[in-house]
Amino acid sequence: MTDGAALPPVIVLVRPQLGENIGKAARAMLNFGLSEMRLVSPRDGWPNETAYPAASGADMVLEKAEVCESVAQATADCGQVFATTVRKRGVDKPVATPAEAAATIRQLPARSAILFGPERSGLDAEDVALARTIVTVPINPEFSSLNLAQAVILMAYEWSKGEALAVPTRTEDELPAPQIELERMIEHFETALEPTGFFYPPDRTPTTKRALRTILTKPGWTTPEIRTLRGVVAALEKKRQD
Amino acid sequence: MTDGAALPPVIVLVRPQLGENIGKAARAMLNFGLSEMRLVSPRDGWPNETAYPAASGADMVLEKAEVCESVAQATADCGQVFATTVRKRGVDKPVATPAEAAATIRQLPARSAILFGPERSGLDAEDVALARTIVTVPINPEFSSLNLAQAVILMAYEWSKGEALAVPTRTEDELPAPQIELERMIEHFETALEPTGFFYPPDRTPTTKRALRTILTKPGWTTPEIRTLRGVVAALEKKRQD
């Protein structure tokens, strides 16, 4: 795939401890369209049954997961490796936010890998040494307590934002109505209000009309919404004439 | 707070089921500097011991959490209410991504609330009706399985990313009015319209009221604008009584 399409990043769990957390990571990934997972020396071996319930349906990711003996093996085919740490571990590597890392990944028509360390301790210095870039989530310095699945989900989320996933589409009925309809509604309000004295005294009329126009223009109501509002005015007018 | 500082959003858990998930939500929030939580009718009451272990140290958020009887009560002092849903529920409200919602929250020197529904079912239509904007996480259409804490963490993360940005100042008169004023205006419209037959037939009344509520909630009118509109309704009512 050298046609410029950025490959989705590979999620590498380094010495993950609980099968349940592997399952949760798979679920976190698939929410945002990632499905390629590699496991380096999982503590309880692989496959691990306990991963499946926690994956909540993301079984496909677990089925595809590859087991590797080392971080080097897991990243051998990757042109860009990121190491996630909650706080920068004082190494001389560039540090990126998840958003910056995601942007880099998308711009790179090669394979990227994102490393996540064991739940308790995180990546060690040797793991980090293999990466080009450290990714640190900008987090509350006074309280920093992300679990593995949450770290995975933030990275996956940032990556997916650039992939135009599931962007809600809007139909015509959801667009602001054309100005002509807005104008007719405003006139309808004015006509209904004139006999009520709402625009008195006459020297205030332009100002009051302008204020009402601003209020009715601000929302950007759709055609159906304008129709409903004109129904409101008509109902109140009609009763008035009875 | 009219000096331009955007207030951090209030996280509102609506009818949360497990105390453990409340704790996880508190932890998720505090990772990104949010600490104001409100609970609407928590299923197992409050305080709930089971929340504390799951909070993993975010006890302060649980200590400060307020219990409210309704979503209306929980959002009465908020000028901007967002309802999180995993997928748009076919309602006529603007839909924002978490990033867009976070940008809106930061630009608004008023209080925002973000609603999260019960773990199993999510927010219902009545909960969503009170919000001006729906927030939907752009997610894999083929696999969408975020838990409560993950939904909270994505919103909190997006909000925290922009905290360093300078916010343009706006005066209090330019902020969306607090929900309580919006609510009174909606009631005023309903009271004025009932004798006109606008809500007939009776089996259509809830739907028609809901549609009108949506239309009147959408604009985010300021306190002076709401005052003007109530003057409009009062003028039309008054004439009607003559």
Side-chain angles (χ1 to χ4, degrees), chain A residues 212-230:
Chain A
L212 183 60
R213 171 179 288 276
T214 298
I215 287 169
L216 297 176
T217 302
K218 173 179 186 172
W221 283 310
T222 65
T223 294
E225 288 173 337
I226 283 186
R227 196 181 306 132
T228 300
L229 277 160
R230 291 193 63 179

Side-chain angles (χ1 to χ4, degrees), chain B residues 63-216:
Chain B
E63 297 296 330
K64 278 175 48 167
E66 291 177 42
V67 179
C68 306
E69 289 183 1
S70 63
V71 178
Q73 189 194 11
T75 59
D77 62 347
C78 301
Q80 179 77 24
V81 178
F82 297 85
T84 60
T85 70
V86 175
R87 256 178 294 277
K88 184 177 173 187
R89 283 171 177 270
V91 290
D92 288 324
K93 271 187 209 292
V95 179
T97 61
E100 291 163 345
T104 300
I105 291 169
R106 286 193 302 272
Q107 288 155 17
L108 208 68
R111 198 181 295 277
S112 296
I114 311 176
L115 311 179
F116 295 86
E119 295 93 296
R120 272 200 192 292
S121 51
L123 295 171
D124 64 26
E126 276 199 38
D127 303 323
V128 174
L130 294 176
R132 182 161 301 120
T133 312
I134 284 173
V135 187
T136 296
V137 180
I139 208 161
N140 184 354
E142 293 174 30
F143 183 85
S144 153
S145 173
L146 289 183
N147 63 35
L148 174 62
Q150 288 172 337
V152 171
I153 220 174
L154 289 172
M155 274 306 321
Y157 165 72
E158 280 291 4
W159 172 78
S160 81
K161 279 166 72 181
E163 264 304 278
L165 296 178
V167 176
T169 55
R170 290 169 70 176
T171 65
E172 274 197 21
D173 268 2
E174 290 168 320
L175 309 176
Q179 288 283 108
I180 186 72
E181 290 179 27
L182 174 64
E183 196 59 40
R184 288 187 192 130
M185 179 186 70
I186 290 172
E187 281 166 10
H188 193 172
F189 268 82
E190 289 179 351
T191 304
L193 283 168
E194 261 145 19
T196 71
F198 184 79
F199 294 117
Y200 280 20
D203 58 311
R204 295 282 303 161
T205 300
T207 307
T208 309
K209 284 190 168 179
R210 174 64 47 79
L212 183 60
R213 172 180 287 276
T214 299
I215 287 169
L216 297 176

Side-chain angles (χ1 to χ4, degrees), chain A residues 65-222:
Chain A
E66 292 178 40
V67 179
C68 306
E69 288 182 358
S70 64
V71 178
Q73 189 195 13
T75 58
D77 60 347
C78 300
Q80 178 78 24
V81 178
F82 297 85
T84 60
T85 70
V86 176
R87 256 178 294 276
K88 185 177 171 189
R89 284 170 176 273
V91 292
D92 289 325
K93 273 187 209 293
V95 179
T97 62
E100 290 163 348
T104 301
I105 292 170
R106 286 193 303 271
Q107 289 155 15
L108 209 69
R111 197 182 295 277
S112 296
I114 311 175
L115 311 178
F116 295 84
E119 295 93 296
R120 269 197 195 294
S121 52
L123 295 171
D124 64 26
E126 276 199 38
D127 304 322
V128 175
L130 295 175
R132 178 162 307 116
T133 311
I134 284 172
V135 187
T136 296
V137 180
I139 208 161
N140 184 352
E142 292 174 31
F143 182 86
S144 154
S145 173
L146 288 183
N147 63 34
L148 174 62
Q150 289 170 337
V152 170
I153 221 174
L154 289 172
M155 273 306 321
Y157 165 73
E158 279 292 3
W159 171 78
S160 82
K161 280 165 77 180
E163 289 297 298
L165 279 183
V167 174
T169 54
R170 294 168 73 176
T171 66
E172 269 194 28
D173 267 3
E174 290 166 321
L175 307 177
Q179 287 284 110
I180 184 69
E181 292 178 27
L182 175 62
E183 197 58 40
R184 289 187 191 129
M185 180 186 70
I186 292 172
E187 281 165 11
H188 193 172
F189 268 82
E190 290 179 350
T191 304
L193 284 167
E194 261 144 19
T196 72
F198 183 80
F199 295 118
Y200 282 17
D203 59 312
R204 296 283 304 162
T205 301
T207 307
T208 310
K209 284 191 168 179
R210 173 63 46 79
L212 183 60
R213 171 179 288 276
T214 298
I215 287 169
L216 297 176
T217 302
K218 173 179 186 172
W221 283 310
T222 65

